Amino acid sequence: MFTSALRLVYISLLLSPSQSCYQCFVDVKDSLRLCWGYLLTKYNVRNVDTCFEKLDHIFNNNKTVIEAGRVGKGYDIQLKEILDAEILPLVEEFDRKLNNDTVYEQRLQTAADNFISAASKLPRVSGCFPPCGFQSAGAVYNCITCQYDSCEFLLDCPVEEIKVMENSRIRMWCAVPFALPSDIEVIWRFAEEVKTQQMDQFKEVTVGVDRLYSIPSVSLQHQGTYQCEIYSGQLSIVRVYYYISVTPQLVAGHTELQEIFDLSLLPGGQLFPASGDSPRSFLASLSLLLAACLTALLLLLFISLGVLCWSSIQEQSHTEETDEDEDLDLF
Ligand SMILES: *[C@@H]1O[C@H](CO)[C@@H](O)[C@H](O)[C@H]1NC(C)=O
């Protein structure tokens, strides 16, 4: 008896890497009692090892059993209750009694089938919200590891790109689709200019509980990646990223002016092959425009002065003429 018990422990250790719902919930002590009277019909001998192989075959290597055991958080207690209801009466019935392998096979298979149909009805809602974050509450039970699986997402969320105009206001919300614990700490970090997820490129900006980060008036220096990391205790839960690209207002206004200038005054823009984006060429164009305007104004002034001059001369000659006429009249 003692040696068979030792052998059993050895077998269960051997089997331990591939668990099943059976191993997760049924005591080795109970399994020992269940398998005690396993009779090999062929040789008419009692054999506990073969009984364990049978259990293995019916429960461990049965994908349907493992699938049925993938219940939602908290329902592993019900899984145990279902299996206990199937196995424990068998343990009591088979304890210290001989039963042939056909009987074992049939009874264990029935127990497994009943477990599958009952466990399949248990809630199995996965609370995992992709694509990122450590979500401890979202897992389903795993009969291979006898634990709840974690959601197995990356800590880092994908970078979300946001375009903003210079001088406008921006608000970034450290949003996650899953429930957070109450004791969170939020750290906002910033990596200037670059679009990155590399930790060493970030500098800490704020530490606290605020999940909102706002910039009242965006300037060019605000361009870059913002990272928000949420901790609970010392454990990092998630890292959210925003890449902010700032459109300068000056450049937008300048290009517009340049276009109007090119269209109205310099068709083809051939006179200024270098008229690019640099403010210097813009200033040059502006001064040329100013000079042209001034010249036109001066020209206008001269013409009007000329007209004024001419008209006054005309008037004078007319008076002289009338004077002559008068003179003539006198004659
Ligand atoms: C096994 O046991 C059952 C019940 O005692 C019996 O009916 C059956 O014939 C046995 N089978 C073999 C193969 O001995």
Side-chain angles (χ1 to χ4, degrees), residues 41 99-103:
T41 323
N99 280 287
N100 67 32
D101 42 13
T102 321
V103 173

Side-chain angles (χ1 to χ4, degrees), residues 6-301:
L6 263 184
R7 201 192 266 168
L8 190 85
V9 169
Y10 169 72
I11 287 165
S12 57
L13 277 175
L14 253 182
L15 293 173
S16 62
S18 71
Q19 300 275 7
S20 78
C21 294
Y22 183 91
Q23 262 102 348
C24 294
F25 301 120
V26 180
D27 245 33
V28 178
K29 178 170 58 71
D30 289 329
S31 300
L32 227 161
R33 287 171 69 203
L34 179 71
C35 283
W36 183 86
Y38 191 95
L39 197 71
L40 273 173
T41 323
K42 203 172 165 186
Y43 308 104
N44 202 30
V45 289
R46 205 166 56 83
N47 192 302
V48 178
D49 291 4
T50 321
C51 178
F52 268 78
E53 276 165 27
K54 189 115 278 172
L55 281 174
D56 210 28
H57 175 72
I58 291 172
F59 287 96
N60 297 22
N61 300 336
N62 189 339
K63 284 200 170 65
T64 328
V65 170
I66 289 163
E67 200 45 54
R70 297 187 69 80
V71 291
K73 194 85 177 175
Y75 289 96
D76 56 314
I77 299 151
Q78 269 94 326
L79 276 187
K80 182 172 167 53
E81 281 170 5
I82 292 165
L83 201 64
D84 278 352
E86 294 298 321
I87 299 297
L88 294 185
L90 275 187
V91 171
E92 296 306 323
E93 191 187 329
F94 286 11
D95 190 27
R96 304 241 153 213
K97 285 193 189 80
L98 292 175
N99 280 287
N100 67 32
D101 42 13
T102 321
V103 173
Y104 267 98
E105 167 105 36
Q106 282 168 354
R107 300 296 295 273
L108 289 176
Q109 192 56 59
T110 309
D113 291 345
N114 290 345
F115 172 81
I116 290 165
S117 70
S120 301
K121 291 189 187 92
L122 288 176
R124 51 199 58 246
V125 196
S126 162
C128 292
F129 299 91
C132 53
F134 178 74
Q135 301 168 36
S136 59
V140 290
Y141 194 78
N142 187 337
C143 275
I144 296 164
T145 58
C146 299
Q147 281 174 347
Y148 280 94
D149 287 336
S150 76
C151 290
E152 284 171 359
F153 294 134
L154 292 170
L155 210 59
D156 294 289
C157 299
V159 182
E160 195 182 313
E161 206 167 320
I162 302 171
K163 285 193 170 74
V164 284
M165 284 297 288
E166 196 182 9
N167 300 325
S168 65
R169 187 171 85 151
I170 186 163
R171 307 174 90 185
M172 284 169 276
W173 180 250
C174 193
V176 287
F178 53 92
L180 287 168
S182 53
D183 64 328
I184 57 160
E185 187 186 44
V186 181
I187 296 180
W188 281 95
R189 299 187 185 92
F190 176 52
E192 206 175 327
E193 289 206 39
V194 285
K195 183 180 176 178
T196 184
Q197 284 191 304
Q198 277 196 297
M199 219 41 204
D200 58 350
Q201 303 215 35
F202 287 92
K203 281 196 184 98
E204 216 165 271
V205 185
T206 64
V207 181
V209 289
D210 210 350
R211 284 165 69 194
L212 184 73
Y213 189 85
S214 59
I215 304 166
S217 179
V218 174
S219 69
L220 291 173
Q221 293 100 291
H222 289 121
Q223 179 155 308
T225 312
Y226 292 81
Q227 180 208 62
C228 150
E229 184 162 14
I230 300 177
Y231 293 87
S232 175
Q234 293 301 306
L235 192 75
S236 177
I237 293 175
V238 72
R239 289 201 282 249
V240 176
Y241 294 87
Y242 293 104
Y243 175 70
I244 305 294
S245 78
V246 183
T247 312
Q249 262 186 348
L250 190 82
V251 164
H254 160 223
T255 23
E256 214 169 279
L257 252 178
Q258 184 80 55
E259 267 166 27
I260 293 165
F261 186 76
D262 283 349
L263 276 171
S264 54
L265 285 171
L266 302 159
Q270 282 167 341
L271 276 173
F272 289 99
S275 72
D277 291 324
S278 77
R280 186 179 275 189
S281 82
F282 170 65
L283 275 177
S285 316
L286 202 71
S287 60
L288 202 89
L289 178 69
L290 219 72
C293 282
L294 261 168
T295 317
L297 223 85
L298 274 170
L299 211 71
L300 210 76
L301 198 76

